[in-house]
Amino acid sequence: MAPDKKPKKDDSKKFKKMKNKNKKKKKKSKTVSTVPIDNRAIDSEWWDVFWHKNSTTLGSNEPYDEEDGFKYFFRISKKTFEYICSLVREDLISRPPSGLINIEGRLLSVEKQVAIALRRLASGESQVSVGASFGVGQSTVSQVTWRFIEAMEERAKHHLKWPDSNKMDEIKSTFEALSGLPNCCGAIDATHVIMTLPAVETSDDWCDQENNYSMFVQGVVDNKMRFLDIVTGWPGGMPISRLLKCSGFYKLCESGERLNGKVRMSSKEEEIREYIVGGASYPLLPWLITPYEDNDLEIPMLELNQMLEAARAAAVKAFSQLKGGWRILSKVMWRPDKRKLPSIILVCCLLHNIIIDCGDSLHPDVVLSGHHDSDYLGQSSKHVDPIGRTTRENITKHLQHCKKKASCVHTV
């Protein structure tokens, strides 16, 4: 075996230089790692500074204490705020040297980042305006909000899912107690999120019946006004019946994978399957019951319509709370990225559910006073599925029989 060649003098000098450079690099990396990663003292006074700066801007004539003020600005209590921070903490920790900073050059704490994102979603104010209230720039608000949305999509998705059979039994029992409808699993509704678009992105699909550019959001809710299923991303110019058919929810119901639980036997021994209720803009289907629409309706039909409306009110109120609480959805959005907008909508729905799941509630001053989609009322679907018609008739007969039975008991 040939002996190793001795390195030339020049080579040995180069080797020593390389070695010294590596040592310097190692020393540099050590200094970076000694910088604290998530020291809450970095920005722990953010709320005191924010409250002092913004408490005078509250619109109500009544004086706010700090607890009420916190809920007004961020829509949630401090306890719920802490829970949300715990969900996204690992994703939002500001790590030097590239961490997000405020105008004083200090790293933003997780708490301040969550507050910035919540304020942007809650107020719908411009990024410049939100940034000014926190002492950060517009680009920081943009980065923080999007990081928060991405983190919530992943970390909070368990707050929006279709219920299991035990939970569904509770939902059906509560709907029956509130509205009288047997085997009702939820209510469906839809709303528009209005936006302006650049000229190159405008099309008839996105232009709706009110000549606004908008995106649809459809949701199925339970008796507590929690969203169980949502679909969004579709143009606001399509009919609601088409929006339904484009949704994954429709495909699951049509294939028998959803609303496929216990069948209820009516008083006349006729089957009443699981279903949800919707307004006149939705088609009558085996699993989607809508009101009677003839001009001369008999009393039993009118009574069923009233019950359907009482159950459907859960969805109407849920969307009013959603768009009232998270005003970014009720204001005209300035040229949003249509690929990112569905994520913003989803996170607002997740936040809506988290408020309910945590036993929290919206501040009364922020809920919408009117209908969530008042300019778009009046759509009507003429589609009537024969099996859906039979199911609706069976429900009507069952309710009438129960009514007669109850009146006989009272008479006795």
PDB file of all heavy atoms in Angstrom, residues 46-47 50-51 58 64-82 115 118 363:
ATOM      1  N   TRP A  46     -47.802  44.322  27.482  1.00  0.00           N
ATOM      2  CA  TRP A  46     -48.500  44.746  26.261  1.00  0.00           C
ATOM      3  C   TRP A  46     -49.937  45.177  26.549  1.00  0.00           C
ATOM      4  O   TRP A  46     -50.418  46.164  25.972  1.00  0.00           O
ATOM      5  CB  TRP A  46     -48.485  43.633  25.206  1.00  0.00           C
ATOM      6  CG  TRP A  46     -49.370  42.464  25.539  1.00  0.00           C
ATOM      7  CD1 TRP A  46     -49.020  41.324  26.189  1.00  0.00           C
ATOM      8  CD2 TRP A  46     -50.762  42.351  25.248  1.00  0.00           C
ATOM      9  NE1 TRP A  46     -50.107  40.494  26.334  1.00  0.00           N
ATOM     10  CE2 TRP A  46     -51.195  41.103  25.762  1.00  0.00           C
ATOM     11  CE3 TRP A  46     -51.708  43.168  24.609  1.00  0.00           C
ATOM     12  CZ2 TRP A  46     -52.507  40.653  25.658  1.00  0.00           C
ATOM     13  CZ3 TRP A  46     -53.018  42.728  24.503  1.00  0.00           C
ATOM     14  CH2 TRP A  46     -53.410  41.493  25.017  1.00  0.00           C
ATOM     15  N   TRP A  47     -50.643  44.430  27.443  1.00  0.00           N
ATOM     16  CA  TRP A  47     -52.047  44.759  27.699  1.00  0.00           C
ATOM     17  C   TRP A  47     -52.177  46.105  28.404  1.00  0.00           C
ATOM     18  O   TRP A  47     -53.045  46.911  28.047  1.00  0.00           O
ATOM     19  CB  TRP A  47     -52.718  43.670  28.521  1.00  0.00           C
ATOM     20  CG  TRP A  47     -54.039  44.109  29.123  1.00  0.00           C
ATOM     21  CD1 TRP A  47     -54.358  44.223  30.433  1.00  0.00           C
ATOM     22  CD2 TRP A  47     -55.218  44.543  28.398  1.00  0.00           C
ATOM     23  NE1 TRP A  47     -55.642  44.676  30.593  1.00  0.00           N
ATOM     24  CE2 TRP A  47     -56.198  44.886  29.355  1.00  0.00           C
ATOM     25  CE3 TRP A  47     -55.524  44.666  27.036  1.00  0.00           C
ATOM     26  CZ2 TRP A  47     -57.465  45.342  28.999  1.00  0.00           C
ATOM     27  CZ3 TRP A  47     -56.794  45.132  26.688  1.00  0.00           C
ATOM     28  CH2 TRP A  47     -57.749  45.459  27.654  1.00  0.00           C
ATOM     29  N   PHE A  50     -51.608  48.737  25.803  1.00  0.00           N
ATOM     30  CA  PHE A  50     -52.730  48.769  24.856  1.00  0.00           C
ATOM     31  C   PHE A  50     -53.963  49.403  25.499  1.00  0.00           C
ATOM     32  O   PHE A  50     -54.631  50.251  24.891  1.00  0.00           O
ATOM     33  CB  PHE A  50     -53.057  47.347  24.384  1.00  0.00           C
ATOM     34  CG  PHE A  50     -54.214  47.267  23.424  1.00  0.00           C
ATOM     35  CD1 PHE A  50     -54.012  47.391  22.058  1.00  0.00           C
ATOM     36  CD2 PHE A  50     -55.517  47.083  23.887  1.00  0.00           C
ATOM     37  CE1 PHE A  50     -55.082  47.326  21.171  1.00  0.00           C
ATOM     38  CE2 PHE A  50     -56.587  47.017  23.008  1.00  0.00           C
ATOM     39  CZ  PHE A  50     -56.373  47.141  21.650  1.00  0.00           C
ATOM     40  N   TRP A  51     -54.301  48.996  26.726  1.00  0.00           N
ATOM     41  CA  TRP A  51     -55.490  49.504  27.413  1.00  0.00           C
ATOM     42  C   TRP A  51     -55.369  51.005  27.671  1.00  0.00           C
ATOM     43  O   TRP A  51     -56.325  51.757  27.440  1.00  0.00           O
ATOM     44  CB  TRP A  51     -55.675  48.753  28.724  1.00  0.00           C
ATOM     45  CG  TRP A  51     -56.817  49.243  29.563  1.00  0.00           C
ATOM     46  CD1 TRP A  51     -56.738  49.873  30.775  1.00  0.00           C
ATOM     47  CD2 TRP A  51     -58.217  49.164  29.253  1.00  0.00           C
ATOM     48  NE1 TRP A  51     -57.990  50.180  31.253  1.00  0.00           N
ATOM     49  CE2 TRP A  51     -58.924  49.760  30.338  1.00  0.00           C
ATOM     50  CE3 TRP A  51     -58.938  48.653  28.186  1.00  0.00           C
ATOM     51  CZ2 TRP A  51     -60.315  49.847  30.358  1.00  0.00           C
ATOM     52  CZ3 TRP A  51     -60.332  48.742  28.207  1.00  0.00           C
ATOM     53  CH2 TRP A  51     -60.999  49.330  29.287  1.00  0.00           C
ATOM     54  N   LEU A  58     -63.495  53.355  23.150  1.00  0.00           N
ATOM     55  CA  LEU A  58     -64.675  52.513  23.267  1.00  0.00           C
ATOM     56  C   LEU A  58     -65.923  53.316  22.942  1.00  0.00           C
ATOM     57  O   LEU A  58     -66.114  54.434  23.424  1.00  0.00           O
ATOM     58  CB  LEU A  58     -64.775  51.923  24.677  1.00  0.00           C
ATOM     59  CG  LEU A  58     -63.674  50.909  25.032  1.00  0.00           C
ATOM     60  CD1 LEU A  58     -63.693  50.595  26.509  1.00  0.00           C
ATOM     61  CD2 LEU A  58     -63.854  49.639  24.222  1.00  0.00           C
ATOM     62  N   TYR A  64     -66.263  51.143  30.875  1.00  0.00           N
ATOM     63  CA  TYR A  64     -65.818  49.759  30.824  1.00  0.00           C
ATOM     64  C   TYR A  64     -64.743  49.530  31.885  1.00  0.00           C
ATOM     65  O   TYR A  64     -63.849  50.348  32.050  1.00  0.00           O
ATOM     66  CB  TYR A  64     -65.186  49.443  29.467  1.00  0.00           C
ATOM     67  CG  TYR A  64     -66.155  49.169  28.344  1.00  0.00           C
ATOM     68  CD1 TYR A  64     -66.840  50.213  27.721  1.00  0.00           C
ATOM     69  CD2 TYR A  64     -66.376  47.873  27.891  1.00  0.00           C
ATOM     70  CE1 TYR A  64     -67.718  49.959  26.673  1.00  0.00           C
ATOM     71  CE2 TYR A  64     -67.239  47.616  26.845  1.00  0.00           C
ATOM     72  CZ  TYR A  64     -67.914  48.661  26.237  1.00  0.00           C
ATOM     73  OH  TYR A  64     -68.774  48.407  25.200  1.00  0.00           O
ATOM     74  N   ASP A  65     -64.837  48.384  32.601  1.00  0.00           N
ATOM     75  CA  ASP A  65     -63.685  47.994  33.395  1.00  0.00           C
ATOM     76  C   ASP A  65     -62.744  47.212  32.480  1.00  0.00           C
ATOM     77  O   ASP A  65     -63.073  46.948  31.314  1.00  0.00           O
ATOM     78  CB  ASP A  65     -64.092  47.181  34.625  1.00  0.00           C
ATOM     79  CG  ASP A  65     -64.838  45.895  34.270  1.00  0.00           C
ATOM     80  OD1 ASP A  65     -64.660  45.384  33.140  1.00  0.00           O
ATOM     81  OD2 ASP A  65     -65.596  45.402  35.114  1.00  0.00           O
ATOM     82  N   GLU A  66     -61.580  46.809  32.979  1.00  0.00           N
ATOM     83  CA  GLU A  66     -60.587  46.170  32.116  1.00  0.00           C
ATOM     84  C   GLU A  66     -61.061  44.819  31.588  1.00  0.00           C
ATOM     85  O   GLU A  66     -60.759  44.457  30.450  1.00  0.00           O
ATOM     86  CB  GLU A  66     -59.256  46.020  32.859  1.00  0.00           C
ATOM     87  CG  GLU A  66     -58.498  47.325  32.967  1.00  0.00           C
ATOM     88  CD  GLU A  66     -57.030  47.121  33.335  1.00  0.00           C
ATOM     89  OE1 GLU A  66     -56.440  46.111  32.908  1.00  0.00           O
ATOM     90  OE2 GLU A  66     -56.489  47.972  34.052  1.00  0.00           O
ATOM     91  N   GLU A  67     -61.813  44.074  32.403  1.00  0.00           N
ATOM     92  CA  GLU A  67     -62.308  42.771  31.956  1.00  0.00           C
ATOM     93  C   GLU A  67     -63.252  42.932  30.781  1.00  0.00           C
ATOM     94  O   GLU A  67     -63.149  42.235  29.772  1.00  0.00           O
ATOM     95  CB  GLU A  67     -63.020  42.049  33.110  1.00  0.00           C
ATOM     96  CG  GLU A  67     -62.097  41.513  34.184  1.00  0.00           C
ATOM     97  CD  GLU A  67     -61.223  40.360  33.684  1.00  0.00           C
ATOM     98  OE1 GLU A  67     -61.676  39.614  32.797  1.00  0.00           O
ATOM     99  OE2 GLU A  67     -60.092  40.212  34.178  1.00  0.00           O
ATOM    100  N   ASP A  68     -64.210  43.848  30.900  1.00  0.00           N
ATOM    101  CA  ASP A  68     -65.149  44.121  29.813  1.00  0.00           C
ATOM    102  C   ASP A  68     -64.421  44.668  28.590  1.00  0.00           C
ATOM    103  O   ASP A  68     -64.744  44.339  27.449  1.00  0.00           O
ATOM    104  CB  ASP A  68     -66.219  45.130  30.262  1.00  0.00           C
ATOM    105  CG  ASP A  68     -67.376  44.446  30.964  1.00  0.00           C
ATOM    106  OD1 ASP A  68     -67.438  43.204  30.923  1.00  0.00           O
ATOM    107  OD2 ASP A  68     -68.197  45.149  31.575  1.00  0.00           O
ATOM    108  N   GLY A  69     -63.458  45.540  28.853  1.00  0.00           N
ATOM    109  CA  GLY A  69     -62.688  46.125  27.758  1.00  0.00           C
ATOM    110  C   GLY A  69     -61.917  45.074  26.985  1.00  0.00           C
ATOM    111  O   GLY A  69     -61.856  45.105  25.760  1.00  0.00           O
ATOM    112  N   PHE A  70     -61.318  44.136  27.715  1.00  0.00           N
ATOM    113  CA  PHE A  70     -60.570  43.052  27.073  1.00  0.00           C
ATOM    114  C   PHE A  70     -61.492  42.262  26.154  1.00  0.00           C
ATOM    115  O   PHE A  70     -61.156  41.976  24.998  1.00  0.00           O
ATOM    116  CB  PHE A  70     -59.972  42.132  28.145  1.00  0.00           C
ATOM    117  CG  PHE A  70     -58.964  41.156  27.605  1.00  0.00           C
ATOM    118  CD1 PHE A  70     -57.609  41.464  27.631  1.00  0.00           C
ATOM    119  CD2 PHE A  70     -59.354  39.929  27.068  1.00  0.00           C
ATOM    120  CE1 PHE A  70     -56.666  40.567  27.126  1.00  0.00           C
ATOM    121  CE2 PHE A  70     -58.427  39.035  26.569  1.00  0.00           C
ATOM    122  CZ  PHE A  70     -57.072  39.349  26.595  1.00  0.00           C
ATOM    123  N   LYS A  71     -62.687  41.925  26.647  1.00  0.00           N
ATOM    124  CA  LYS A  71     -63.645  41.145  25.844  1.00  0.00           C
ATOM    125  C   LYS A  71     -64.150  41.955  24.649  1.00  0.00           C
ATOM    126  O   LYS A  71     -64.382  41.404  23.571  1.00  0.00           O
ATOM    127  CB  LYS A  71     -64.810  40.684  26.714  1.00  0.00           C
ATOM    128  CG  LYS A  71     -65.819  39.837  25.965  1.00  0.00           C
ATOM    129  CD  LYS A  71     -66.858  39.214  26.887  1.00  0.00           C
ATOM    130  CE  LYS A  71     -66.327  37.949  27.511  1.00  0.00           C
ATOM    131  NZ  LYS A  71     -67.410  37.146  28.149  1.00  0.00           N
ATOM    132  N   TYR A  72     -64.323  43.260  24.836  1.00  0.00           N
ATOM    133  CA  TYR A  72     -64.780  44.101  23.727  1.00  0.00           C
ATOM    134  C   TYR A  72     -63.749  44.124  22.604  1.00  0.00           C
ATOM    135  O   TYR A  72     -64.090  43.963  21.429  1.00  0.00           O
ATOM    136  CB  TYR A  72     -65.043  45.526  24.217  1.00  0.00           C
ATOM    137  CG  TYR A  72     -65.457  46.474  23.114  1.00  0.00           C
ATOM    138  CD1 TYR A  72     -66.786  46.590  22.735  1.00  0.00           C
ATOM    139  CD2 TYR A  72     -64.509  47.238  22.430  1.00  0.00           C
ATOM    140  CE1 TYR A  72     -67.175  47.439  21.704  1.00  0.00           C
ATOM    141  CE2 TYR A  72     -64.886  48.093  21.402  1.00  0.00           C
ATOM    142  CZ  TYR A  72     -66.215  48.194  21.053  1.00  0.00           C
ATOM    143  OH  TYR A  72     -66.583  49.027  20.023  1.00  0.00           O
ATOM    144  N   PHE A  73     -62.488  44.314  22.959  1.00  0.00           N
ATOM    145  CA  PHE A  73     -61.449  44.427  21.935  1.00  0.00           C
ATOM    146  C   PHE A  73     -61.111  43.091  21.282  1.00  0.00           C
ATOM    147  O   PHE A  73     -60.823  43.041  20.084  1.00  0.00           O
ATOM    148  CB  PHE A  73     -60.175  45.035  22.536  1.00  0.00           C
ATOM    149  CG  PHE A  73     -60.232  46.520  22.728  1.00  0.00           C
ATOM    150  CD1 PHE A  73     -60.165  47.080  23.998  1.00  0.00           C
ATOM    151  CD2 PHE A  73     -60.373  47.372  21.638  1.00  0.00           C
ATOM    152  CE1 PHE A  73     -60.216  48.451  24.178  1.00  0.00           C
ATOM    153  CE2 PHE A  73     -60.422  48.746  21.802  1.00  0.00           C
ATOM    154  CZ  PHE A  73     -60.352  49.284  23.081  1.00  0.00           C
ATOM    155  N   PHE A  74     -61.125  42.001  22.058  1.00  0.00           N
ATOM    156  CA  PHE A  74     -60.650  40.713  21.540  1.00  0.00           C
ATOM    157  C   PHE A  74     -61.725  39.632  21.461  1.00  0.00           C
ATOM    158  O   PHE A  74     -61.448  38.500  21.059  1.00  0.00           O
ATOM    159  CB  PHE A  74     -59.470  40.228  22.382  1.00  0.00           C
ATOM    160  CG  PHE A  74     -58.375  41.240  22.495  1.00  0.00           C
ATOM    161  CD1 PHE A  74     -58.064  41.831  23.716  1.00  0.00           C
ATOM    162  CD2 PHE A  74     -57.670  41.652  21.365  1.00  0.00           C
ATOM    163  CE1 PHE A  74     -57.073  42.787  23.820  1.00  0.00           C
ATOM    164  CE2 PHE A  74     -56.677  42.610  21.456  1.00  0.00           C
ATOM    165  CZ  PHE A  74     -56.370  43.180  22.680  1.00  0.00           C
ATOM    166  N   ARG A  75     -62.954  39.967  21.885  1.00  0.00           N
ATOM    167  CA  ARG A  75     -64.135  39.096  21.783  1.00  0.00           C
ATOM    168  C   ARG A  75     -64.147  37.934  22.774  1.00  0.00           C
ATOM    169  O   ARG A  75     -65.088  37.161  22.788  1.00  0.00           O
ATOM    170  CB  ARG A  75     -64.295  38.527  20.354  1.00  0.00           C
ATOM    171  CG  ARG A  75     -64.326  39.548  19.239  1.00  0.00           C
ATOM    172  CD  ARG A  75     -65.370  40.640  19.488  1.00  0.00           C
ATOM    173  NE  ARG A  75     -65.603  41.431  18.297  1.00  0.00           N
ATOM    174  CZ  ARG A  75     -65.436  42.749  18.225  1.00  0.00           C
ATOM    175  NH1 ARG A  75     -65.005  43.420  19.286  1.00  0.00           N
ATOM    176  NH2 ARG A  75     -65.709  43.398  17.111  1.00  0.00           N
ATOM    177  N   ILE A  76     -63.119  37.772  23.542  1.00  0.00           N
ATOM    178  CA  ILE A  76     -63.019  36.631  24.447  1.00  0.00           C
ATOM    179  C   ILE A  76     -62.538  37.089  25.819  1.00  0.00           C
ATOM    180  O   ILE A  76     -61.945  38.152  25.949  1.00  0.00           O
ATOM    181  CB  ILE A  76     -62.050  35.555  23.900  1.00  0.00           C
ATOM    182  CG1 ILE A  76     -60.689  36.178  23.576  1.00  0.00           C
ATOM    183  CG2 ILE A  76     -62.628  34.848  22.689  1.00  0.00           C
ATOM    184  CD1 ILE A  76     -59.654  35.201  23.067  1.00  0.00           C
ATOM    185  N   SER A  77     -62.813  36.267  26.836  1.00  0.00           N
ATOM    186  CA  SER A  77     -62.319  36.565  28.175  1.00  0.00           C
ATOM    187  C   SER A  77     -60.820  36.271  28.250  1.00  0.00           C
ATOM    188  O   SER A  77     -60.259  35.608  27.369  1.00  0.00           O
ATOM    189  CB  SER A  77     -63.060  35.707  29.201  1.00  0.00           C
ATOM    190  OG  SER A  77     -62.747  34.333  29.009  1.00  0.00           O
ATOM    191  N   LYS A  78     -60.181  36.725  29.323  1.00  0.00           N
ATOM    192  CA  LYS A  78     -58.748  36.469  29.485  1.00  0.00           C
ATOM    193  C   LYS A  78     -58.463  34.976  29.635  1.00  0.00           C
ATOM    194  O   LYS A  78     -57.431  34.482  29.183  1.00  0.00           O
ATOM    195  CB  LYS A  78     -58.210  37.242  30.695  1.00  0.00           C
ATOM    196  CG  LYS A  78     -58.117  38.752  30.448  1.00  0.00           C
ATOM    197  CD  LYS A  78     -57.442  39.473  31.608  1.00  0.00           C
ATOM    198  CE  LYS A  78     -57.297  40.963  31.288  1.00  0.00           C
ATOM    199  NZ  LYS A  78     -56.631  41.716  32.370  1.00  0.00           N
ATOM    200  N   LYS A  79     -59.404  34.250  30.241  1.00  0.00           N
ATOM    201  CA  LYS A  79     -59.227  32.808  30.408  1.00  0.00           C
ATOM    202  C   LYS A  79     -59.219  32.100  29.054  1.00  0.00           C
ATOM    203  O   LYS A  79     -58.367  31.251  28.783  1.00  0.00           O
ATOM    204  CB  LYS A  79     -60.346  32.247  31.295  1.00  0.00           C
ATOM    205  CG  LYS A  79     -60.174  30.775  31.633  1.00  0.00           C
ATOM    206  CD  LYS A  79     -61.292  30.298  32.554  1.00  0.00           C
ATOM    207  CE  LYS A  79     -61.133  28.809  32.864  1.00  0.00           C
ATOM    208  NZ  LYS A  79     -62.237  28.316  33.727  1.00  0.00           N
ATOM    209  N   THR A  80     -60.165  32.466  28.188  1.00  0.00           N
ATOM    210  CA  THR A  80     -60.207  31.875  26.841  1.00  0.00           C
ATOM    211  C   THR A  80     -58.994  32.300  26.034  1.00  0.00           C
ATOM    212  O   THR A  80     -58.447  31.527  25.248  1.00  0.00           O
ATOM    213  CB  THR A  80     -61.506  32.290  26.117  1.00  0.00           C
ATOM    214  OG1 THR A  80     -62.631  31.951  26.931  1.00  0.00           O
ATOM    215  CG2 THR A  80     -61.639  31.596  24.775  1.00  0.00           C
ATOM    216  N   PHE A  81     -58.565  33.552  26.233  1.00  0.00           N
ATOM    217  CA  PHE A  81     -57.360  34.057  25.568  1.00  0.00           C
ATOM    218  C   PHE A  81     -56.148  33.198  25.921  1.00  0.00           C
ATOM    219  O   PHE A  81     -55.362  32.822  25.048  1.00  0.00           O
ATOM    220  CB  PHE A  81     -57.132  35.512  25.980  1.00  0.00           C
ATOM    221  CG  PHE A  81     -55.912  36.156  25.385  1.00  0.00           C
ATOM    222  CD1 PHE A  81     -55.955  36.704  24.112  1.00  0.00           C
ATOM    223  CD2 PHE A  81     -54.716  36.217  26.089  1.00  0.00           C
ATOM    224  CE1 PHE A  81     -54.833  37.314  23.553  1.00  0.00           C
ATOM    225  CE2 PHE A  81     -53.595  36.810  25.543  1.00  0.00           C
ATOM    226  CZ  PHE A  81     -53.651  37.360  24.276  1.00  0.00           C
ATOM    227  N   GLU A  82     -56.010  32.865  27.200  1.00  0.00           N
ATOM    228  CA  GLU A  82     -54.888  32.026  27.634  1.00  0.00           C
ATOM    229  C   GLU A  82     -54.954  30.640  27.001  1.00  0.00           C
ATOM    230  O   GLU A  82     -53.925  30.065  26.631  1.00  0.00           O
ATOM    231  CB  GLU A  82     -54.898  31.912  29.162  1.00  0.00           C
ATOM    232  CG  GLU A  82     -54.487  33.188  29.876  1.00  0.00           C
ATOM    233  CD  GLU A  82     -54.756  33.142  31.373  1.00  0.00           C
ATOM    234  OE1 GLU A  82     -55.166  32.055  31.862  1.00  0.00           O
ATOM    235  OE2 GLU A  82     -54.561  34.169  32.048  1.00  0.00           O
ATOM    236  N   ALA A 115     -52.989  38.632  20.438  1.00  0.00           N
ATOM    237  CA  ALA A 115     -53.837  39.814  20.592  1.00  0.00           C
ATOM    238  C   ALA A 115     -53.920  40.603  19.286  1.00  0.00           C
ATOM    239  O   ALA A 115     -54.999  41.062  18.890  1.00  0.00           O
ATOM    240  CB  ALA A 115     -53.292  40.700  21.710  1.00  0.00           C
ATOM    241  N   LEU A 118     -56.136  38.591  16.845  1.00  0.00           N
ATOM    242  CA  LEU A 118     -57.542  38.629  17.255  1.00  0.00           C
ATOM    243  C   LEU A 118     -58.150  40.006  16.991  1.00  0.00           C
ATOM    244  O   LEU A 118     -59.304  40.110  16.555  1.00  0.00           O
ATOM    245  CB  LEU A 118     -57.671  38.282  18.737  1.00  0.00           C
ATOM    246  CG  LEU A 118     -57.423  36.820  19.129  1.00  0.00           C
ATOM    247  CD1 LEU A 118     -57.499  36.662  20.643  1.00  0.00           C
ATOM    248  CD2 LEU A 118     -58.423  35.883  18.459  1.00  0.00           C
ATOM    249  N   HIS A 363     -69.321  39.887  23.846  1.00  0.00           N
ATOM    250  CA  HIS A 363     -69.782  41.118  24.466  1.00  0.00           C
ATOM    251  C   HIS A 363     -71.057  41.565  23.755  1.00  0.00           C
ATOM    252  O   HIS A 363     -71.120  41.548  22.515  1.00  0.00           O
ATOM    253  CB  HIS A 363     -68.701  42.204  24.361  1.00  0.00           C
ATOM    254  CG  HIS A 363     -68.930  43.352  25.274  1.00  0.00           C
ATOM    255  ND1 HIS A 363     -69.891  44.306  25.031  1.00  0.00           N
ATOM    256  CD2 HIS A 363     -68.349  43.701  26.455  1.00  0.00           C
ATOM    257  CE1 HIS A 363     -69.877  45.207  25.995  1.00  0.00           C
ATOM    258  NE2 HIS A 363     -68.960  44.856  26.886  1.00  0.00           N
TER     259      HIS A 363
END
